[in-house]
Amino acid sequence: MRKFLIVLVIVCLNLGCKAEQKVEQQQQEKTQVTPFVWEGANLYFLLTDRFNNGDKANDVNFDRTKETAVLRGFKGGDLKGITEKIESGYFNDLGINAIWMTPIVEQVHGAVDEGSGVTYGFHGYWTKDWTAIDPNYGTKADLKALVAAAHKNGIRILLDAVINHTGPVTDKDPVWPEEWVRETPTCKFTNYENTVTCALVKNLPDIKTESDDPVALPPQLVEKWKKEGRYEEEVAELDAFFKRTGYPRAPRFYIMKWLTDYITEYGIDGYRVDTVKHTEEYVWQEFRKVCDYAFEEWKQNNATAVLDDNAFYLVGEVYNYGISGGTIYDYGDKKVNYFDDAFNSLINFEFKWNAAQRTYEQQFKRYDSILNTSLKGSGTFNYLSSHDDGQPFDKDRVKPYEAATRLLLSPGTSQVYYGDELARDLTIEGTEGDATLRSFMNWEDLETNAETKAIFKHWLTLGQFRKNHPTVGAGRHQMLQQEPYVFSRTYTKGIFNDTVVIGLDLNKGKKEINVASTFKDGTVLRDFYSNQTAKVENGSVSITSEFDIVLLEKTN
């Protein structure tokens, strides 16, 4: 009898432990925080000058008053305007958890004759001074406020890094010294050398990034800094940087120092890097090192402001790179792996073609396969329209709903170009070249146009679902049913588990969806698109709505 009681006590204790463990596990599941995952991020790309004008007092600087060609001058967008939209909840409503903006550094003061008229450096890619923010965009205080507001709302900030070239020569902007730049030859793009060691276009001086020869500061910067009263400070910081790193005072390392200051001073979360394939690949490995160092320094000095343990994020623009290439970009005579100790992700220039030529399942399955084989451990950065792609997926904006569905439900990081969500016009009369892609944000349509509001609601709903579920972009894809089309995504990171089921091109009205392979009977699911709930019974869930799409998630 005594032995029986001892065994009974042990059994009860074991059952109690198991019950306690089950309760603890349930509590963990309820309290687990959705992690931010770059591979599944929903990122918004905007032209700083064309998004929102938050301060009309800074619209004109450096006497940039010449009449320009259509959409070739500054239009007033600024950092305060972006902050205003962050604080109003616009990005949160849209499900955005990262923002990339065009370069904000000081641009050349003069204009350049291009085509039918003159052009100013409104786009940010014509650098005059990497150490200063262009007053048309705002001030250092404005940038600090923007990053703080973004981080408060769980939004990461990417700036745009240009190391390959300076701004063009104008009547107000002399060429940099020949130890710094080359003006010829112009690139031919037929092999590695004539893509890298050359000027991209005429009058866009190419930084001699291959050189290790020490150079003095350009005289125009010395003169400028002395007028601004900060010459000694800038020189002292450069001395400290070169002493710490041991790098030669070569052109590329000056620029790297100036760019990483935006990390240590403001706590930005990443860089989109411009013209990657036009610069030696080892330059980006060096850039990765100095960025990582700066980010860790910022984290140590701002421990209470650190969002998570993600590393500094680098995404590269290797023009015409596509996910089909895996980790390799082929110049014809040389193959380069830009993911090697450099970039987390590369912009995927083939996504728009895949979207136009493949079914949803063909595209989703293919991307899932590549990201988990040849690109495993690396990322893809998908887009359908951008600031310099004259052949976007939907230039005439006749497929804004499909565009959202394609982009926001695809594996990989999604890049929403400003105005995609409002079907902003990409065919502006009187423009030349990429200017037609860069009109001012069409905020008025969101206020007055019923169709624009409906399009926005679709982008908003898919964007929020994607933001809430990193599995949409970073999880494993599995087709559950071919017709009507239903698939699942599953993602695990530590104790975090995320599973969703999505149906597209379904019947409107009542929909029976088989989820037996994903959710158990009795599980309560919510259709995020129609905001209805239903319980799984006999392996299926029934949703009745006016929509042809369902976004199924667990309610707890």
Side-chain angles (χ1 to χ4, degrees):
M1 183 66 177
R2 184 176 180 183
K3 189 178 294 184
F4 171 77
L5 288 174
I6 292 173
V7 172
L8 184 61
V9 168
I10 292 172
V11 169
C12 289
L13 286 172
N14 284 337
L15 288 173
C17 289
K18 289 179 180 179
E20 187 176 329
Q21 288 172 350
K22 186 175 182 180
V23 170
E24 185 178 344
Q25 182 180 354
Q26 289 174 340
Q27 289 175 341
Q28 279 186 334
E29 289 175 354
K30 289 180 180 180
T31 58
Q32 63 181 348
V33 177
T34 302
F36 174 81
V37 181
W38 280 110
E39 293 80 3
N42 190 23
L43 180 140
Y44 195 91
F45 168 40
L46 58 87
L47 264 73
T48 309
D49 177 68
R50 300 296 165 85
F51 184 66
N52 189 38
N53 192 342
D55 185 0
K56 296 186 185 303
N58 66 16
D59 287 359
V60 179
N61 293 280
F62 308 123
D63 194 31
R64 293 170 174 148
T65 56
K66 290 183 180 180
E67 185 177 352
T68 68
V70 178
L71 289 177
R72 292 287 184 178
F74 285 89
K75 298 297 180 184
D78 49 35
L79 298 172
K80 283 186 177 179
I82 300 168
T83 304
E84 182 181 288
K85 291 299 180 180
I86 293 173
E87 293 178 335
S88 74
Y90 181 79
F91 293 107
N92 280 336
D93 288 346
L94 197 56
I96 297 298
N97 48 14
I99 297 171
W100 152 35
M101 63 190 77
T102 48
I104 60 173
V105 299
E106 187 173 330
Q107 299 296 287
V108 294
H109 295 180
V112 175
D113 284 314
E114 288 188 335
S116 61
V118 303
T119 298
Y120 285 109
F122 69 90
H123 43 66
Y125 294 97
W126 289 354
T127 305
K128 182 181 183 72
D129 184 353
W130 275 273
T131 71
I133 295 174
D134 195 289
N136 269 73
Y137 306 138
T139 66
K140 291 187 174 183
D142 294 338
L143 178 58
K144 186 174 183 179
L146 186 155
V147 174
H151 286 175
K152 183 179 179 181
N153 283 274
I155 299 170
R156 276 71 178 168
I157 294 296
L158 271 67
L159 295 185
D160 205 314
V162 183
I163 298 179
N164 171 258
H165 58 272
T166 68
V169 178
T170 77
D171 58 344
K172 297 181 179 180
D173 307 282
V175 67
W176 289 46
E178 64 179 11
E179 307 88 62
W180 276 82
V181 301
R182 63 174 61 83
E183 296 184 85
T184 58
T186 303
C187 296
K188 295 180 180 178
F189 312 117
T190 58
N191 59 35
Y192 179 83
E193 184 178 358
N194 69 31
T195 299
V196 175
T197 314
C198 48
L200 279 174
V201 295
K202 186 179 179 181
N203 196 20
L204 198 63
D206 181 62
I207 297 288
K208 293 183 175 178
T209 48
E210 79 284 1
S211 174
D212 285 329
D213 294 338
V215 296
L217 282 166
Q220 58 262 54
L221 275 188
V222 173
E223 180 184 0
K224 180 177 183 291
W225 292 350
K226 285 183 177 179
K227 284 183 179 179
E228 295 169 352
R230 58 189 180 96
Y231 172 75
E232 289 79 8
E233 179 185 356
E234 293 294 343
V235 169
E237 289 185 8
L238 284 167
D239 289 344
F241 172 80
F242 286 114
K243 181 179 180 181
R244 177 183 65 78
T245 62
Y247 289 137
R249 290 177 179 258
R252 69 185 185 275
F253 293 118
Y254 280 94
I255 299 172
M256 288 183 196
K257 186 273 177 191
W258 295 331
L259 287 171
T260 53
D261 283 348
Y262 291 91
I263 305 173
T264 53
E265 291 181 28
Y266 305 100
I268 64 169
D269 305 280
Y271 267 121
R272 177 268 190 185
V273 181
D274 185 62
T275 54
V276 166
K277 74 175 184 180
H278 304 290
T279 303
E280 298 77 15
E281 63 271 23
Y282 58 80
V283 171
W284 307 122
Q285 295 175 336
E286 295 165 342
F287 189 50
R288 159 59 70 186
K289 290 179 182 178
V290 294
C291 284
D292 285 346
Y293 183 92
F295 198 45
E296 286 305 312
E297 183 180 6
W298 180 82
K299 284 183 174 182
Q300 291 174 12
N301 294 333
N302 301 271
T304 59
V306 176
L307 293 176
D308 54 39
D309 59 357
N310 276 307
F312 193 76
Y313 186 70
L314 286 181
V315 56
E317 181 227 14
V318 178
Y319 200 81
N320 280 337
Y321 163 83
I323 192 173
S324 297
T327 59
I328 300 300
Y329 181 80
D330 191 350
Y331 285 87
D333 63 338
K334 183 176 181 178
K335 295 180 180 180
V336 176
N337 181 353
Y338 287 106
F339 293 95
D340 186 18
D341 293 327
F343 293 99
N344 302 90
S345 186
L346 297 182
I347 295 173
N348 177 24
F349 286 82
E350 75 175 71
F351 184 82
K352 61 176 184 175
W353 304 116
N354 298 152
Q357 298 165 2
R358 299 173 184 270
T359 66
Y360 286 122
E361 174 60 17
Q362 287 171 341
Q363 186 171 12
F364 296 165
K365 181 180 179 180
R366 181 167 177 271
Y367 275 53
D368 174 75
S369 175
I370 294 173
L371 286 166
N372 287 281
T373 53
S374 60
L375 268 183
K376 191 171 181 63
S378 302
T380 185
F381 205 77
N382 302 321
Y383 78 92
L384 290 175
S385 57
S386 77
H387 62 321
D388 58 6
D389 188 334
Q391 296 180 296
F393 170 74
D394 184 26
K395 187 168 187 176
D396 295 321
R397 300 299 198 186
V398 295
K399 299 184 286 186
Y401 294 93
E402 182 186 348
T405 303
R406 288 274 183 183
L407 179 65
L408 298 178
L409 297 183
S410 278
T413 304
S414 57
Q415 176 235 286
V416 179
Y417 186 44
Y418 81 106
D420 281 351
E421 74 277 21
L422 305 184
R424 179 176 59 86
D425 191 357
L426 301 179
T427 58
I428 308 300
E429 186 177 352
T431 56
E432 291 185 356
D434 52 23
T436 192
L437 308 168
R438 303 174 177 185
S439 60
F440 204 83
M441 183 69 163
N442 55 323
W443 295 113
E444 64 283 355
D445 290 340
L446 185 57
E447 299 297 324
T448 61
N449 190 300
E451 179 61 16
T452 301
K453 292 179 180 179
I455 292 168
F456 179 70
K457 180 67 182 301
H458 182 65
W459 281 83
L460 175 153
T461 305
L462 292 179
Q464 287 185 358
F465 189 73
R466 181 184 177 91
K467 178 182 177 181
N468 294 343
H469 296 285
T471 189
V472 175
R476 293 306 310 264
H477 173 83
Q478 178 66 51
M479 183 175 72
L480 303 182
Q481 187 173 292
Q482 186 170 1
E483 190 174 340
Y485 181 47
V486 180
F487 62 90
S488 67
R489 297 273 169 81
T490 305
Y491 176 77
T492 300
K493 183 177 182 179
I495 66 166
F496 179 80
N497 295 290
D498 190 21
T499 299
V500 299
V501 169
I502 298 171
L504 303 177
D505 296 332
L506 307 175
N507 295 323
K508 295 181 179 180
K510 188 174 182 180
K511 293 168 272 288
E512 291 285 341
I513 301 156
N514 189 324
V515 296
S517 63
T518 311
F519 297 116
K520 296 179 180 179
D521 279 0
T523 304
V524 179
L525 301 179
R526 176 191 295 109
D527 171 24
F528 190 79
Y529 203 91
S530 65
N531 196 30
Q532 296 185 42
T533 58
K535 185 179 292 186
V536 180
E537 297 179 352
N538 299 319
S540 295
V541 65
S542 178
I543 298 291
T544 302
S545 76
E546 61 184 299
F547 309 112
D548 63 357
I549 179 174
V550 296
L551 306 173
L552 298 175
E553 61 183 3
K554 291 177 69 174
T555 59
N556 54 21

